[in-house]
Amino acid sequence: MPSINPTRFLDDLHTLRGFGRHDPGVVRPALSAADMDARRWLRRRMQEAGLEAAIDGVGNVLGRSRQPGPALLIGSHSDTQPRGGWLDGAFGVICGLEVARALAEDASTRTQAVDAIAWIDEEGAYLSCLGSLAFCGLLDESDIDAAANQSGETLRDALRRNDLNGVAARAEPGRYLGYLEAHIEQGGYLEEAQQQVGVVTAIVGSRNFTVRFSGQQNHAGTTPMIKRRDAGRAAVEFAYRIDQLYQQNTGPRTVWTIGQISFDPGAPSIIPGRAELHLQFRDPELSRLEAFEQIARQLVAEMNSAGPVTVSIEPAGAPIAPADMDPVLQEHLARAAAQTVPERWQRMPSAAIHDAMFLARVMPAGMLFVPSINGISHDFAEDTAEDDLVAGCQVLANAAASILAQKA
């Protein structure tokens, strides 16, 4: 089996950390100057590894093996959250590069084809999972036209600013056996179980809803409680009741969040005439997602019947369906984990969304996780022990070699 070079792997990972570094984290949102500098550096590193590397028209960096195939595509995203950690996405990108190098350097695997990829904008600065969706042919031009960042810059303008034409590289028909992605867990399950590697079984789906409450704005001192049509009070009641209902119907990995809530006009001495909240829930089972949506809609109907506030609910974006990881690729990853870190690996679903769930729509896809210290991610404090990073990359290399050997 091929052996990765731990020093080279970690050096490249730390070099990537330097683009947009804000100790101990990284600020490298998609299509920023730091992000594009990192992509140009990644292109050079892929070329130095013997890959045919280019930045496509949306910013993906694809390093294509010179071997004829069949090939594995391996990678992740290199953009970060606005104030993000240094490993989210970056770990998988450098894993893809290192696996391609390790297989090319080993006599038993040097003819195997590994393409390395760094996706653009998984984190949604402009359009979540832009790079992987475009590569898979799952985006319309209208999606790109409508996308903008929080500052109001459109995606089209950001692409032009970086001399990108908006035309993504597409998955070459018949080339790929599948896609592999390594990632930090971004949660605490592996650390709590004292495991080094997680073989991902499925990626959760999610649904998002905006719930609006319409009452009557009025004076907070002179309006009797019995006569109030308090939209703020109704919003709080909804939040409480939905939490109670979801607790009665939860699964082992179900989560739900009310991440935004607002009162209008939002003054201490005014009864809110309007209120709005954002409800999100995630689960690896489609049936539970559908059940949770029905529970929310039924609660809205009950509150409308009871009054005195009018309540409405509408989707906030398209639903994201759960994605099962390919069982064959899972088995290769599991065998590699058992060989590399015996007794220190487990199967598990992903509670976060990743590019792999969209690749799974067009080719077999698999993922592995390494632990996140204290379960922290999307924060400057995000970190993983170097031994775990190296172990995860080696498991990925062993699995890649096994997959490619079986299809040779």
Side-chain angles (χ1 to χ4, degrees):
M1 282 296 189
S3 295
I4 68 164
N5 183 323
T7 300
R8 176 178 62 190
F9 165 66
L10 292 171
D11 283 349
D12 277 349
L13 194 51
H14 282 286
T15 300
L16 181 55
R17 183 182 195 175
F19 295 95
R21 183 166 185 160
H22 285 247
D23 280 334
V26 175
V27 177
R28 195 169 60 234
L31 298 170
S32 65
D35 180 49
M36 294 309 299
D37 286 344
R39 292 177 186 282
R40 287 185 281 269
W41 173 79
L42 283 166
R43 178 180 59 189
R44 291 195 300 272
R45 291 301 280 159
M46 290 179 185
Q47 290 168 341
E48 291 164 3
L51 302 173
E52 297 175 347
I55 300 174
D56 73 9
V58 298
N60 291 326
V61 189
L62 175 62
R64 193 177 187 278
S65 172
R66 298 177 190 274
Q67 299 298 331
L72 271 179
L73 182 64
I74 304 179
S76 190
H77 63 97
S78 54
D79 61 292
T80 75
Q81 285 282 321
R83 289 174 55 84
W86 72 288
L87 292 168
D88 180 357
F91 168 61
V93 169
I94 302 301
C95 278
L97 173 61
E98 181 58 27
V99 170
R101 292 185 295 212
L103 267 62
E105 291 166 353
D106 190 283
S108 66
T109 56
R110 63 172 51 124
T111 61
Q112 295 179 347
V114 171
D115 293 0
I117 189 81
W119 304 115
I120 185 85
D121 205 11
E122 191 265 2
E123 299 290 8
Y126 295 87
L127 199 166
S128 182
C129 296
L130 164 64
S132 55
L133 286 167
F135 183 81
C136 295
L138 300 174
L139 274 185
D140 294 327
E141 290 297 308
S142 60
D143 296 320
I144 297 177
D145 290 337
N149 68 7
Q150 288 188 339
S151 299
E153 183 184 37
T154 68
L155 175 55
R156 291 290 188 194
D157 286 345
L159 293 172
R160 282 191 287 268
R161 174 169 52 79
N162 288 292
D163 297 320
L164 301 173
N165 64 13
V167 179
R170 295 286 287 273
E172 182 181 322
R175 177 168 176 80
Y176 292 115
L177 295 173
Y179 170 71
L180 295 179
E181 181 170 354
H183 209 280
I184 58 169
E185 182 196 344
Q186 302 182 282
Y189 290 100
L190 286 174
E191 184 179 61
E192 289 172 10
Q194 298 184 335
Q195 305 283 46
Q196 280 190 290
V197 169
V199 175
V200 177
T201 56
I203 300 175
V204 298
S206 72
R207 297 192 182 183
N208 292 268
F209 293 91
T210 299
V211 187
R212 294 187 175 93
F213 307 82
S214 179
Q216 176 63 60
Q217 179 178 326
N218 213 333
H219 195 291
T222 63
T223 309
M225 297 303 293
I226 195 170
K227 292 186 177 182
R228 294 186 180 208
R229 296 178 58 215
D230 188 336
R233 181 180 179 183
V236 172
E237 178 187 352
F238 178 92
Y240 173 78
R241 290 180 63 185
I242 202 72
D243 187 66
Q244 298 300 305
L245 291 166
Y246 282 175
Q247 286 187 50
Q248 296 167 20
N249 293 273
T250 187
R253 290 299 179 99
T254 316
V255 294
W256 58 93
T257 306
I258 293 176
Q260 294 176 321
I261 188 166
S262 62
F263 298 159
D264 182 14
S269 295
I270 300 177
I271 299 164
R274 291 179 298 276
E276 181 175 299
L277 62 79
H278 188 104
L279 171 66
Q280 179 190 90
F281 45 86
R282 305 186 188 203
D283 197 88
E285 296 181 18
L286 181 60
S287 61
R288 184 164 282 109
L289 293 174
E290 292 174 343
F292 268 43
E293 178 175 345
Q294 186 57 40
I295 289 169
R297 291 188 180 278
Q298 181 61 38
L299 178 56
V300 166
E302 290 176 7
M303 292 182 70
N304 274 322
S305 295
V309 170
T310 301
V311 188
S312 67
I313 183 170
E314 62 183 38
I320 298 176
D324 291 330
M325 295 294 94
D326 181 75
V328 174
L329 298 188
Q330 283 187 55
E331 287 308 310
H332 282 280
L333 288 166
R335 286 197 295 270
Q339 294 164 0
T340 309
V341 288
E343 309 301 324
R344 296 206 63 196
W345 69 279
Q346 66 181 50
R347 297 180 191 266
M348 63 187 300
S350 169
I353 290 168
H354 300 287
D355 292 299
M357 69 191 310
F358 302 109
L359 272 294
R361 299 186 188 181
V362 299
M363 67 180 73
M367 283 195 78
L368 71 78
F369 284 161
V370 294
S372 294
I373 293 174
N374 295 324
I376 294 173
S377 184
H378 285 191
D379 185 88
F380 280 178
E382 172 186 285
D383 206 3
T384 295
E386 288 192 347
D387 286 350
D388 293 337
L389 296 171
V390 170
C393 188
Q394 186 61 61
V395 169
L396 196 70
N398 290 352
S402 173
I403 294 162
L404 288 162
Q406 191 173 71
K407 299 294 183 177

